[in-house]
Amino acid sequence: MTTLDIPELALVALVGVSGSGKSTFARRHFAPSQVLSSDTFRALVADDENDQSASGDAFEALHHVAGIRLRRGRLTVVDATNLQPHARAGLIQVAREHDVLPVAVVLDVPESVAWERTQARADRAFGRQVLTRMQRDLRQSYGRLAREGFRKVHVLRGVSEIDAAEIRYERLFNDRRELTGPFDVIGDVHGCRTELEALLSRLGYLLRHDDSGRPVDAAHPAGRTAVFVGDLVDRGPDSPGVLRLVMGMVAAGHAICVPGNHEQKLLRKLRGRDVRLTHGLAETMEQLATEPPEFVAGVETFIDGLVSHYVLDGGRLVVAHAGLKEAYHGRASGRVRSFALYGETTGETDEYGLPVRYPWARDYRGSAMVVYGHTTTPEAEWVNNTICVDTGCVFGGKLTALRYPERELIAVPAVQEWYAPARPLFPVAPARPDTVLDLSDVTGRRHLTHAYGSLTVPAESAAAALEVMSRFAVDPGRLVWLPPTMAPCSTSTVDGFLEHPAQAFADYRAAGVDRVVCEEKHMGSRAVVLVEREPGRFGGGAVHTRTGRPFFGPPLDDELLARVRAAVTTAGLWAELDTDWLLLDAELLPWSAKAGGLIREQYAGVGAAGRAALPAVLAALDTSAGRGLPVAELHARMTARAAEVVAYSAAYRAYVAPTDGLRGVTLAPFAVLAGAGASFADRDHGWHLALADRLCAADPEFFTPTRRQVVELADEAAVASATEWWLALTASGGEGMVVKPYAGLAARSPKGSLLQPGIKCRGREYLRIIYGPGYTDPAQLTALRRRSLGRKRGMALREHGLGLAVLDALAEDAPLWRRHELVFAILACESEPVDPRL
């Protein structure tokens, strides 16, 4: 058996004459979606796989599809003869464009066997001389494949060897996704051994010394792994000491390391290349001259074995000396290695004669965190989920490490300035200020992946969201979260009810939830309140609707924020939660305070028309009945209709109350979502409601409490009690209740999937407002029970996942664009066609 080692991501070119068994080999070893056949593409462009005149167009299409697959990180196999250098050159070019390794698999069978197979195929009509020419081309290809650029060449000779071949996939050296940390990523050391020892000790590593007292290893008691971003050598006082320690840690499995440009230059010098002794290399060579030859040889071997970059922790962390843009993550090519070592320059030089680096981090949009060094910065700062940890230790700055996944920065100051910098250390402006947004971040068809799922935002939904966001919404810097839509419970089977608690409880039981909280559903307008202790990053805060619009506008919004700020202060929540801002989810009452126009135009008109018309209809029917006409049945229907209109009017009038400014307005908070450096989505609803109660106690005139019941779903008595509570609540004019998993906003099912954050169960009379005065008619109720809830529930979960991701981004102090694209996606979801009555 012959084993063919092929990288997991590669462009594999099958090479062989017609009849050598390439298609059979491809079917046996690769998935159909992985194989691109030249015959198939000729058929696609010309309806005839044997039409050689279509080969040019066919290969153009094949190369295009191959490029798309490689860009998406998919193994791609090209099934064609690939006997001529120009045909292979096109494939090698595609592989290079996408920074993957080209691999050749040569199938060499005797010409007689190939001819016999060719004759057996009715669709192959060419002479033996064509096959002979192919065999000659194949022989000439043997010595060329490696020179042409194929990184691996596998040759299978004879039918038996081809049939016995097995494919074994190998990871690229940079693929260490199985290493999950925790890690301590350490910036450019540049020979500063004393500072490195101090930093490792501060990080909790225990140093081990050799008989001469030199540090040769460091291990962390908790099993953490150090990750060095390169540039261990040059400029500093003890490059050999740094190398000895780092090499020992790597050999012991306590650290991993990527090369820096200074290591590469040192390697060339050690190999006898003509290298200028500049930028600290002269000092390193002088220091190495005092070391034994075997140590210097070990340094050469160590540097030669370093990999350009590493992809760690399932793809969530990437470490490269000069950083790495997303398209290069996990790829292998000279271009990728060059970027990882040197970054990218604009071709210009600054006033100090140094190259101007292209600010690649400004454009970075990847989900993986990229940690790098190379470009000295006075302070390590986050730019679009990337961070540079080279804080200029050798220049008198400090040596910095990033703890991952904690995102905590630990640094020790330099003992002194060991090397005068060509450019003074001074603060640099962020590549992209946090307050700046780019239209391209949110427009067009976009696919978003976040910690709670992924979704595609259609271009038309993005356009609708942009219309709202640009014309009506509050400043994006203060629009930090939008609430998800809420799905109703499954349709009730209880006589006379469209929604009923029995179905809400059953829905959560089916999802594996054993404890819920039933919260009174306030009939008002959803209000998101962002309030600051003092005006700061959010300009004091904002009050907005669930679509991001200012609630009242100035000055009422400012007055409302002042009331909330005072209550938070009185309740002592600033200090208790260690924050200078809070994000609240609430309902503002009464409904008419915000929805007065809607009530007048959409609901009151229907009620007024019914109340005006139906008495006249009944009077006419009474007259007709007096004349002996058979209108009794119609009279009964109209009498019922009149009663329904009265009930309809009473239903919406229950939520109308006079207000004057904030007089008559109350706020019912039910969740404290986030504060500085923290998302509270993991807290249970008991915690949230307890804080809401404290706000109510601090200002009972302005805040309205949320009544609730906690229900163990296995306790039938508790379920019955909650049902009776709901019946009494709705009978007295209440809208209904929202049933939520008690565990909190981020609750998951036993299978690990996100749960609906809440299921609304609306009262029988309230639903008249939604479905019309006569919806309780048995025929109408039967029709309404066929309503479909799937789309609404799907939207609710998508928006909920996005909202949780926004809260995490807030806690991490992520850049504005990252938060805004998630908020924007929530708003875009709202344009999906869903029955608005649900």
Side-chain angles (χ1 to χ4, degrees):
M1 181 182 71
T2 302
T3 301
L4 311 184
D5 289 324
I6 294 177
E8 290 180 337
L9 175 57
L11 178 63
V12 180
L14 302 182
V15 182
V17 304
S18 178
S20 59
K22 299 183 297 302
S23 298
T24 302
F25 183 88
R27 284 193 299 271
R28 180 185 305 154
H29 295 288
F30 304 103
S33 59
Q34 294 175 320
V35 180
L36 306 181
S37 165
S38 59
D39 289 346
T40 300
F41 277 85
R42 268 189 290 268
L44 286 173
V45 302
D47 294 329
D48 183 356
E49 65 180 37
N50 294 308
D51 184 354
Q52 297 302 313
S53 68
S55 292
D57 291 335
F59 276 100
E60 182 180 350
L62 186 151
H63 290 168
H64 179 69
V65 174
I68 292 174
R69 286 187 55 81
L70 295 176
R71 175 170 56 81
R72 296 181 63 83
R74 302 299 176 185
L75 177 75
T76 301
V77 180
V78 177
D79 175 12
T81 58
N82 294 317
L83 294 172
Q84 298 175 324
H86 72 83
R88 298 191 294 266
L91 296 178
I92 291 172
Q93 179 63 27
V94 171
R96 285 174 175 166
E97 288 173 355
H98 295 87
D99 304 290
V100 301
L101 300 179
V103 176
V105 177
V106 181
L107 279 62
D108 188 355
V109 301
E111 183 179 326
S112 58
V113 174
W115 179 241
E116 181 181 348
R117 291 173 175 174
T118 299
Q119 286 183 306
R121 292 184 59 178
D123 60 346
R124 291 291 187 265
F126 54 79
R128 179 74 176 260
Q129 73 278 7
V130 174
L131 198 60
T132 301
R133 186 169 64 250
M134 288 182 175
Q135 283 283 15
R136 184 178 65 248
D137 291 341
L138 179 64
R139 294 286 180 267
Q140 293 174 350
S141 299
Y142 278 155
R144 297 175 175 172
L145 293 171
R147 293 198 304 270
E148 289 172 353
F150 285 100
R151 296 291 295 272
K152 285 178 177 286
V153 178
H154 299 290
V155 179
L156 300 173
R157 291 183 170 87
V159 174
S160 59
E161 189 169 326
I162 293 172
D163 290 343
E166 293 292 338
I167 301 293
R168 181 172 62 194
Y169 293 105
E170 58 184 10
R171 286 186 172 184
L172 295 177
F173 292 137
N174 57 41
D175 184 356
R176 299 304 305 274
R177 286 172 293 179
E178 78 281 2
L179 300 180
T180 58
F183 300 111
D184 298 301
V185 188
I186 298 174
D188 302 33
V189 183
H190 279 303
C192 299
R193 178 183 58 79
T194 300
E195 290 88 343
L196 176 58
E197 290 184 45
L199 179 61
L200 288 170
S201 297
R202 186 169 175 189
L203 290 167
Y205 288 79
L206 303 178
L207 292 163
R208 184 173 67 82
H209 300 79
D210 63 11
D211 294 338
S212 301
R214 299 174 300 189
V216 293
D217 189 14
H220 199 286
R224 300 181 71 90
T225 301
V227 183
F228 293 92
V229 302
D231 277 5
L232 305 171
V233 301
D234 294 351
R235 296 175 173 154
D238 192 1
S239 290
V242 171
L243 285 167
R244 184 178 290 107
L245 175 54
V246 174
M247 288 163 59
M249 293 177 69
V250 172
H254 300 142
I256 58 177
C257 182
V258 297
N261 56 299
H262 283 263
E263 279 79 46
Q264 288 305 108
K265 189 175 181 181
L266 173 60
L267 179 62
R268 293 198 301 272
K269 182 62 179 176
L270 294 176
R271 288 179 169 176
R273 304 284 180 84
D274 184 15
V275 178
R276 295 177 62 191
L277 296 176
T278 57
H279 304 299
L281 180 58
E283 289 81 356
T284 298
M285 295 306 297
E286 290 176 6
Q287 294 162 13
L288 286 174
T290 65
E291 298 290 335
E294 58 270 20
F295 177 78
V296 178
V299 168
E300 180 180 345
T301 301
F302 172 72
I303 296 175
D304 186 50
L306 296 178
V307 180
S308 67
H309 72 282
Y310 281 118
V311 179
L312 305 167
D313 192 21
R316 287 178 281 273
L317 174 65
V318 173
V319 178
H321 174 63
L324 206 63
K325 53 188 179 183
E326 185 180 17
Y328 291 169
H329 294 181
R331 303 299 174 111
S333 70
R335 178 169 62 174
V336 171
R337 185 173 180 83
S338 176
F339 194 105
L341 286 171
Y342 308 106
E344 193 172 24
T345 62
T346 65
E348 303 169 301
T349 56
D350 62 16
E351 65 269 32
Y352 303 100
L354 298 176
V356 177
R357 307 289 179 188
Y358 181 79
W360 65 273
R362 178 185 64 189
D363 302 320
Y364 183 73
R365 294 294 182 273
S367 59
M369 180 191 301
V370 181
V371 187
Y372 63 103
H374 187 55
T375 304
T376 303
T377 179
E379 297 292 338
E381 62 178 354
W382 291 99
V383 178
N384 295 342
N385 208 26
T386 77
I387 189 169
C388 176
V389 289
D390 177 8
T391 47
C393 180
V394 75
F395 300 131
K398 53 192 174 184
L399 186 61
T400 297
L402 172 73
R403 280 180 168 161
Y404 175 91
E406 299 89 341
R407 296 172 68 100
E408 179 185 2
L409 291 168
I410 303 295
V412 296
V415 173
Q416 66 178 67
E417 181 186 285
W418 299 105
Y419 197 91
R423 177 170 49 212
L425 295 178
F426 56 88
V428 294
R432 181 175 178 182
D434 188 54
T435 55
V436 173
L437 294 173
D438 191 322
L439 190 63
S440 63
D441 290 340
V442 294
T443 52
R445 179 181 173 89
R446 305 185 66 250
H447 186 77
L448 290 180
T449 299
H450 52 83
Y452 303 92
S454 62
L455 79 161
T456 297
V457 180
E460 56 271 23
S461 296
L466 183 62
E467 174 75 7
V468 174
M469 195 74 75
S470 60
R471 295 185 60 191
F472 307 112
V474 301
D475 179 345
R478 295 186 292 159
L479 185 61
V480 299
W481 181 81
L482 287 177
T485 189
M486 188 178 299
C489 61
S490 295
T491 301
S492 173
T493 57
V494 178
D495 188 40
F497 289 90
L498 187 60
E499 296 178 11
H500 191 275
Q503 274 62 52
F505 296 144
D507 288 342
Y508 275 125
R509 280 197 198 98
V513 176
D514 52 17
R515 193 182 196 196
V516 297
V517 58
C518 302
E519 297 180 9
E520 172 187 9
K521 192 173 191 309
H522 300 284
M523 184 49 188
S525 302
R526 193 74 169 265
V528 178
V529 181
L530 174 65
V531 60
E532 284 188 292
R533 189 172 190 172
E534 300 287 344
R537 62 182 294 197
F538 300 120
V543 187
H544 60 78
T545 68
R546 66 176 306 270
T547 56
R549 304 172 191 233
F551 210 92
F552 294 120
L556 280 186
D557 282 358
D558 296 331
E559 292 180 25
L560 191 153
L561 285 171
R563 293 289 292 268
V564 175
R565 185 179 298 115
V568 173
T569 301
T570 302
L573 298 186
W574 301 122
E576 181 177 325
L577 300 178
D578 189 23
T579 184
D580 56 1
W581 61 268
L582 281 176
L583 180 64
L584 308 177
D585 196 5
E587 196 85 2
L588 191 140
L589 307 171
W591 185 32
S592 56
K594 180 64 177 174
L598 175 69
I599 295 170
R600 286 190 299 272
E601 296 167 13
Q602 186 165 323
Y603 301 113
V606 173
R611 293 193 307 275
L614 287 171
V617 170
L618 288 172
L621 289 174
D622 287 337
T623 301
S624 299
R627 294 174 180 173
L629 296 175
V631 294
E633 183 180 348
L634 180 58
H635 191 282
R637 287 206 312 272
M638 292 301 101
T639 300
R641 182 66 55 85
E644 290 166 351
V645 167
V646 170
Y648 173 84
S649 300
Y652 68 74
R653 283 172 174 167
Y655 311 119
V656 175
T659 59
D660 180 13
L662 288 187
R663 188 177 296 112
V665 171
T666 63
L667 190 70
F670 47 82
V672 181
L673 298 168
S679 164
F680 302 130
D682 60 341
R683 308 296 180 92
D684 63 48
H685 283 292
W687 182 88
H688 288 280
L689 291 167
L691 293 189
D693 288 345
R694 288 167 60 182
L695 293 175
C696 294
D699 187 350
E701 181 182 339
F702 181 66
F703 287 93
T704 293
T706 297
R707 292 174 287 178
R708 66 268 194 180
Q709 287 198 9
V710 177
V711 180
E712 303 290 342
L713 293 180
D715 184 345
E716 293 301 328
V719 169
S721 174
T723 302
E724 289 300 320
W725 177 69
W726 177 82
L727 289 170
L729 195 67
T730 55
S732 62
E735 179 185 346
M737 69 182 181
V738 180
V739 185
K740 302 177 180 179
Y742 186 82
L745 293 169
R748 293 181 179 269
S749 72
K751 295 181 179 179
S753 57
L754 274 181
L755 293 166
Q756 290 286 351
I759 295 175
K760 59 188 177 184
C761 183
R762 296 166 291 183
R764 188 171 185 267
E765 290 307 308
Y766 169 80
L767 287 174
R768 287 192 192 278
I769 305 174
I770 305 302
Y771 288 105
Y775 93 101
T776 52
D777 178 82
Q780 287 196 43
L781 206 53
T782 298
L784 287 173
R785 282 180 172 143
R786 292 194 291 268
R787 61 184 184 167
S788 176
L789 302 178
R791 186 181 292 271
K792 179 75 168 182
R793 287 175 171 175
M795 178 190 290
L797 280 177
R798 287 194 299 276
E799 293 182 3
H800 178 48
L802 288 165
L804 291 175
V806 174
L807 296 178
D808 289 345
L810 269 173
E812 296 167 4
D813 199 21
L816 175 59
W817 72 264
R818 185 172 289 276
R819 305 194 315 259
H820 185 64
E821 70 172 358
L822 296 166
V823 172
F824 192 93
I826 297 173
L827 188 58
C829 288
E830 286 296 307
S831 66
E832 294 183 22
V834 174
D835 186 347
R837 301 173 299 176
L838 294 178

